[in-house]
Amino acid sequence: MKTEFLLVGQGLCGTWLSYFLEQEKREFIILDPGNLPNASRQAGGLINPVTGRRLVTTWRIDELLPFAHTQYTRLSQLLFTEQEKPRHKLIEERNILQFFAHPDTRVAFEKRVRERSDYLHLPTEPLAETALFNSPQGHGLIQKSCQVRPDLLLSSYKKHLLQQGRLLEKKFEYPQLNATASTHRYEDISFDYLIFCDGIGAHTNTLFDHLPVAPVKGEALILHIPDLPSSYVYKGPLTLIPLDQEGHWWAGSSYEWNFNDSNPSVAYRESTTDTLQQWLSLPFTIVDHWAAIRPGSKERRPFVGMLEQWPTIGFLGGMGTKGCSLAPYFANQLVQHLLHNTPLDPEADLRRFKRN
Ligand SMILES: Cc1cc2nc3c(=O)[nH]c(=O)nc-3n(C[C@H](O)[C@H](O)[C@H](O)COP(=O)(O)OP(=O)(O)OC[C@H]3O[C@@H](n4cnc5c(N)ncnc54)[C@H](O)[C@@H]3O)c2cc1C
């Protein structure tokens, strides 16, 4: 079998990379057995334009946000016919109701509203939802934030790939790779380019061991809160994001640099339950508990591009906490770079790190 691009992994990175290759009418095959760790399926799916105590706009957000909106919408049009439209869109604008933790946060918000009134708003009218939370320091609104449905995206795109015969549900095994200057083969597949989109898989890949990867564990509880209106994403000591199933909410997440395994922990379940009991005035039940490891980078910038020593072997990853907005943008950038020789963003190009 011969293909132009062999991709490893169908998380957000592999999905978007194959989508842009498909748009360019290129030949590709993607390998993913479907039973390996996958951060994308555990993600809350939030694209939040401002973060942190100082409410700074996130890296490149003014370009990333409109790009994500356009591309998730186009991908929906490819995946769903009018008759088969899912209950929710792949991307929807959803304001974040941000509760202030401290009087200083309110002061910071008031200052930033004057600078970024497109993203931040201090409501003058009362919001009924605020009465459902114990949050005496007040609240503000983060506008233009988006909710993406990563699970819906991955499962519908997987179906699409299978229909086209482009997904092989098997694991990439390094010993089967035969790559020399003149040969590019994996088992019986010969390829022009091999691109890893294997999330934390790449963290143990010797081809990329010069990259400053930073795995960060994240846990979230899945809750049933029947009386909480899904008008907003609620952000306080936790983030509450409405899920597809009526009355179900994603409550997360932790950010752990030191961990022994990728399993849900009793400690997270207990501390999150305590936090919820103090913050939320409504009854809730826990229906599930998720955990995964985010494939991140120490500099909090992605890894995009082809290896200097092996220009036919590349990587798209290191998306950290922002895979929903970074993956489409940088997948497209990588495809344009390979097919039309356009430059990669120097802050994301993996060649910024040299192998000794
Ligand atoms: C709890 C939590 C909450 C998060 N919330 C958000 C959020 O709200 N917004 C946001 O933007 N981001 C969020 N993220 C981050 C986001 O999930 C990641 O940035 C993104 O999913 C990374 O995508 P990826 O494709 O690089 O990796 P993954 O999604 O991990 O995909 C890797 C794929 O590679 C496959 N694979 C691995 N090894 C092999 C192999 N040898 N052969 C074949 N296939 C292989 C796996 O099966 C998997 O499908 C969150 C993450 C976590 C854990």
Side-chain angles (χ1 to χ4, degrees), residues 7-15 30-48 72 148 150 154 168 170-174 186 196-202 216-220 239 241 250 252-254 290-296 315-327:
L7 313 183
V8 180
Q10 197 233 324
L12 280 165
C13 286
T15 297
I30 181 159
L31 296 181
D32 195 321
N35 57 3
L36 293 171
N38 178 304
S40 306
R41 286 187 186 273
Q42 320 287 309
L46 192 62
I47 305 180
N48 180 357
Y72 279 96
V148 165
L154 263 58
L168 301 182
K170 55 203 261 185
K171 185 175 177 187
F172 179 92
E173 304 280 2
Y174 290 93
Y186 177 76
F196 289 91
C197 306
D198 52 346
I200 54 160
V216 182
K217 184 174 173 181
E219 297 189 49
T239 303
I241 304 175
W250 182 100
S253 58
S254 62
W290 293 354
I293 299 173
R294 302 175 182 91
F315 184 34
L316 180 68
M319 304 287 156
T321 56
K322 301 195 169 53
C324 295
S325 52
L326 295 177

Side-chain angles (χ1 to χ4, degrees), residues 67-171:
F67 187 83
H69 221 284
T70 307
Q71 299 305 332
Y72 279 96
T73 307
R74 284 193 188 148
L75 183 46
S76 304
Q77 288 157 358
L78 172 82
L79 294 178
F80 311 118
T81 60
E82 270 311 310
Q83 297 75 36
E84 288 177 340
K85 272 212 168 128
R87 213 157 73 84
H88 293 286
K89 293 182 177 160
L90 284 184
I91 192 164
E92 280 169 292
E93 204 163 294
R94 195 179 290 279
N95 287 349
I96 300 172
L97 181 51
Q98 162 106 50
F99 294 98
F100 304 136
H102 196 267
D104 290 354
T105 332
R106 185 182 180 93
V107 173
F109 200 96
E110 282 168 353
K111 180 169 175 278
R112 290 290 288 154
V113 164
R114 292 193 287 275
E115 294 156 3
R116 290 308 303 242
S117 59
D118 48 347
Y119 291 139
L120 300 172
H121 174 66
L122 271 172
T124 45
E125 69 287 3
L127 301 177
E129 291 83 351
T130 57
L132 306 173
F133 294 85
N134 174 22
S135 193
Q137 306 299 342
H139 55 271
L141 282 180
I142 301 176
Q143 306 172 134
K144 292 194 175 169
S145 50
C146 286
Q147 182 180 359
V148 165
R149 310 272 173 180
D151 195 35
L152 176 65
L153 167 65
L154 263 58
S155 48
S156 352
Y157 197 74
K158 178 176 177 174
K159 212 165 114 194
H160 173 74
L161 288 168
L162 286 169
Q163 277 163 357
Q164 296 184 330
R166 286 174 144 162
L167 175 67
L168 301 182
E169 291 180 275
K170 55 203 261 185
K171 185 175 177 187

Side-chain angles (χ1 to χ4, degrees), residues 241-312:
I241 304 175
L243 293 172
D244 290 3
Q245 206 180 335
E246 199 69 37
H248 284 67
W249 292 80
W250 182 100
S253 58
S254 62
Y255 198 81
E256 303 162 46
W257 292 94
N258 299 309
F259 51 87
N260 298 322
D261 57 49
S262 59
N263 301 326
S265 71
V266 175
Y268 180 78
R269 191 186 175 99
E270 287 180 353
S271 70
T272 303
T273 307
D274 281 355
T275 304
L276 276 163
Q277 278 163 347
Q278 286 169 38
W279 181 45
L280 178 67
S281 316
L282 293 170
F284 65 89
T285 46
I286 299 172
V287 292
D288 208 348
H289 185 171
W290 293 354
I293 299 173
R294 302 175 182 91
S297 82
K298 287 193 179 136
E299 305 175 306
R300 296 172 194 237
R301 296 287 177 265
F303 303 118
V304 184
M306 312 306 283
L307 289 168
E308 207 147 11
Q309 292 85 346
W310 288 97
T312 52

